[in-house]
């Protein structure tokens, strides 16, 4: 087993919450409602991953499986400049694959290992993990098939992380669960399948101005807790 490495989010408080950064050989899931900052965090992680290890990076290339067409090179350029990186060099290291439907998304994850033989990919992002599955497998009749495909997809991602000693970061939306009467009724899509395969789960919710609260849920060995982050022009900060 290769030594686990850690990727900084760029925000000290959030890094501390998850034990120093996102771990390789694990899946870290960020879930939250629309606008909660999931894609911003993915873009920040992509930029950070290209940085040297001394600066919290992985000195690596990045593969983004983009299912919602929300990748924005302009935003990467802003974040790269804020870290004093050459924006063009940074963009060259971030490989974006657009997934057109759930099956295409599964296929891209299967093919990720081919790309990793050509480029040193230590960060694989799926933004969003569940949007296609949610829109294509509607209703109770298709739930079993959806969960089975999601399960296979998650295991492909985890396998990639293990083989290449890479960080896997995925985003997930929430839906209002009418069965929850106490506490927060917002639950992530995919339920137990996603929950059991993701090692770290972070729930993002909106606070004042650009602030977001990240809550660590169901961690195998870290205490539950929260960290506040701020979404700025320069990227994610404390
Ligand atoms: P999600 O992916 O969870 O739907 P996003 O990551 O797209 O949400 O977050 C969108 C939010 O990110 C915006 O509402 C805004 O608060 C913040 N944001 C996006 N771009 C910038 C920017 N250039 N400067 C500051 N904040 C930004
Ligand atoms: Mg998004």
């Amino acid at each position: 087993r290769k030594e686990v490495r850690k990727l900084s989010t760029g925000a000290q408080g959030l890094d501390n919450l998850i034990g120093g950064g996102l771990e390789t050989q694990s899946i870290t899931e960020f879930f939250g409602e629309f606008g909660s900052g999931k894609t911003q965090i993915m873009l920040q992680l992509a930029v950070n991953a290209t940085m040297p290890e001394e600066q919290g990076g992985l000195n690596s290339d990045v593969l983004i499986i983009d299912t919602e067409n929300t990748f924005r090179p302009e935003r990467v350029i802003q974040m790269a400049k804020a870290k004093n990186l050459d924006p063009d060099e940074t963009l060259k290291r971030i490989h974006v694959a657009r997934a057109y439907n759930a099956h295409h998304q599964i296929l891209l994850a299967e093919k990720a290992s081919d790309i990793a033989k050509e480029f040193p990919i230590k960060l694989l992002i799926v933004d969003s993990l569940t949007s296609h599955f949610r829109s294509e497998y509607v209703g109770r009749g298709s739930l079993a098939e959806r969960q089975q495909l999601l399960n296979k997809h998650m295991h492909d991602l985890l396998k990639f992380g293990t083989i290449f000693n890479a960080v896997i970061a995925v985003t997930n939306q929430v839906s209002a669960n009418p069965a929850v009467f106490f506490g927060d009724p917002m639950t992530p899509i995919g339920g137990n399948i996603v929950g059991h395969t993701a090692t770290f789960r972070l729930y993002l919710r909106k606070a004042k101005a650009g602030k977001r609260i990240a809550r660590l849920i169901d961690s195998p060995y870290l205490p539950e807790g929260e960290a506040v982050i701020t979404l700025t022009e320069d990227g994610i900060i404390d």
Side-chain angles (χ1 to χ4, degrees):
R1 193 178 149 104
K2 299 184 189 93
E3 195 187 334
V4 170
R5 293 164 69 188
K6 290 187 183 182
L7 169 63
S8 172
T9 63
Q12 190 72 57
L14 180 54
D15 281 355
N16 291 345
L17 180 69
I18 56 177
L22 278 74
E23 289 188 357
T24 59
Q25 305 177 47
S26 302
I27 298 176
T28 302
E29 175 196 357
F30 289 85
F31 69 95
E33 62 182 299
F34 178 78
S36 59
K38 303 181 295 293
T39 296
Q40 296 302 308
I41 294 172
M42 294 306 111
L43 297 178
Q44 184 72 68
L45 290 170
V47 169
N48 294 357
T50 68
M51 294 169 55
E53 287 181 62
E54 312 85 74
Q55 293 172 45
L58 300 167
N59 188 25
S60 82
D61 281 27
V62 180
L63 176 58
I64 302 181
I65 298 177
D66 179 10
T67 75
E68 297 179 320
N69 206 14
T70 51
F71 178 78
R72 295 287 175 276
E74 315 85 74
R75 192 66 182 114
V76 169
I77 290 170
Q78 281 181 335
M79 290 176 172
K81 282 182 179 166
K83 297 273 185 194
N84 291 317
L85 299 169
D86 178 334
D88 291 331
E89 287 304 313
T90 307
L91 273 176
K92 264 188 220 157
R93 303 190 75 171
I94 301 174
H95 311 266
V96 183
R98 179 83 210 282
Y100 294 97
N101 55 49
H103 268 104
H104 188 214
Q105 179 180 336
I106 290 171
L107 191 73
L108 288 172
E110 288 170 356
K111 297 283 173 221
S113 53
D114 292 343
I115 298 168
K117 280 167 198 153
E118 214 178 318
F119 303 99
I121 295 186
K122 300 284 177 204
L123 170 61
L124 172 57
I125 289 170
V126 185
D127 183 16
S128 129
L129 178 74
T130 48
S131 56
H132 285 317
F133 291 90
R134 185 192 202 183
S135 61
E136 290 168 38
Y137 297 87
V138 186
R140 292 191 67 168
S142 59
L143 188 65
E145 192 185 0
R146 184 186 85 176
Q147 293 303 86
Q148 185 245 318
L149 288 172
L150 253 178
N151 186 43
K152 179 234 178 319
H153 185 47
M154 293 286 285
H155 281 95
D156 286 345
L157 296 173
L158 194 55
K159 191 172 159 194
F160 180 94
T162 309
I163 292 173
F164 295 99
N165 198 19
V167 170
I168 312 294
V170 304
T171 68
N172 194 355
Q173 271 187 299
V174 287
S175 65
N177 182 351
V180 176
F181 297 108
F182 301 103
D184 199 322
M186 302 305 272
T187 58
I189 311 293
N192 287 338
I193 295 292
V194 175
H196 288 155
T197 318
T199 314
F200 301 98
R201 312 191 87 186
L202 288 148
Y203 176 33
L204 295 168
R205 54 186 209 277
K206 293 179 190 169
K208 274 185 204 153
K211 302 234 183 270
R212 300 290 186 273
I213 299 158
R215 160 165 279 271
L216 181 66
I217 314 251
D218 301 335
S219 166
Y221 59 86
L222 292 168
E224 280 214 0
E226 293 187 341
V228 180
I229 56 170
T230 312
L231 310 177
T232 73
E233 185 86 22
D234 285 348
I236 312 295
I237 59 169
D238 273 300

